[in-house]
Amino acid sequence: MRVAVIGTGALACIYAARLAAHAEVCMFGSWPEGVAAIQANGIHVVEPDGRLWRAQVPVYGDPSEIEARRKDYSDLGGADVALILVKSYQTLRAAEWSAELLRPGGVAVTLQNGLDNYEAIVEEVGAARAAIGVTYNAATMLAPGEVRHVAHNPTYLGTQPAYADRMGELAALFDHAGFETEVGEDIEGRLWGKAVVNAAINPLTALWRVPNGALLSTPDRRWLLAKLAEEAANVARAKGLSLPFEDPVAYTDSVCRSTAANHSSMLQDVERGRPTEIDSINGIIISEGKALGVYVGVNEVVWRLVRAL
Ligand code: KPL
């Protein structure tokens, strides 16, 4: 299978590095330091137990190189899958690249945080070639091209009849590469399930600059974590979605525990002085909640605090 990984951040690195032993993988990115480090030294992965390993993955970043590689891909027939792992505010460009890199029946799969990526991808590649995935893997960028895989957690892939066979093959590839993966039709519930967790964990870790596990350490932290998760889950339920858990607070607590050492992606953004994904996570929960008459007051305060940050 020919896989184009779009992005060079923490999750892009762990997916590309693991898949490279089992598929023809190529990365495409616009972060110059990330591209340069991977070109020079490959991807360095530190496992949760401290074991270190390295993978060589071709990566293209310079627009002229991307152009050349796109041409190679089209000569070869194009990529079977484009895995989109950029920040949500970069999705449109990643979707444009995917449209050029994919072969006619190829599928672009978002594995990103946020609730507005799929729509942006559909605009570029069409609904018959766009799929939603949800990953609970946690990873921290140590330096450009160097990543700590903090927690090995499941990946979920949504499927539609138009590309069910491709999603089955991709899930088998992920499994071989060490990503425990499930394919299912109700991916929107899973996507919102992840957004509930992100809406609670990500802004609080970014505001207090603490790892995920530290959110469980005091009653005040736990109270805010619970309110954010409950409000987000109420919006999902008001939309008629069935969430992959009964109790959003217990579920969010369990993710804090299973990713305790991780610096959430929003904390990593704040630490690096980069924009956050707050609008694609809490921002959408707030606008959908208001439209449905669901109380989202705590999300709104936290959304404003992060935007002000
Ligand atoms: O998705 C994540 C993120 O950091 O964005 C979690 C699951 C919270 C892991 O840190």
Side-chain angles (χ1 to χ4, degrees), residues 132-155:
I132 298 175
V134 178
T135 178
Y136 279 89
N137 281 284
T140 304
M141 201 89 229
L142 301 172
E146 288 179 31
V147 62
R148 183 188 301 279
H149 196 165
V150 178
H152 286 258
N153 284 333
T155 305

Side-chain angles (χ1 to χ4, degrees), residues 113 135-138 194 197-198 201-202 212 255 259 262-266:
N113 283 340
T135 178
Y136 279 89
N137 281 284
K194 174 87 190 286
V197 166
N198 288 136
I201 296 179
N202 293 24
N212 298 353
V255 176
T259 63
N262 202 40
H263 281 200
S264 78
S265 53
M266 199 171 285

Side-chain angles (χ1 to χ4, degrees), residues 33 63 77 87 90 122 163 180 187 214 271 275 278 285 287 292:
E33 290 88 343
K87 295 290 172 188
Q90 298 165 328
V122 167
Y163 50 69
E180 180 201 330
I187 197 71
E271 286 168 336
I278 194 79
I285 288 164
S287 57
L292 292 162

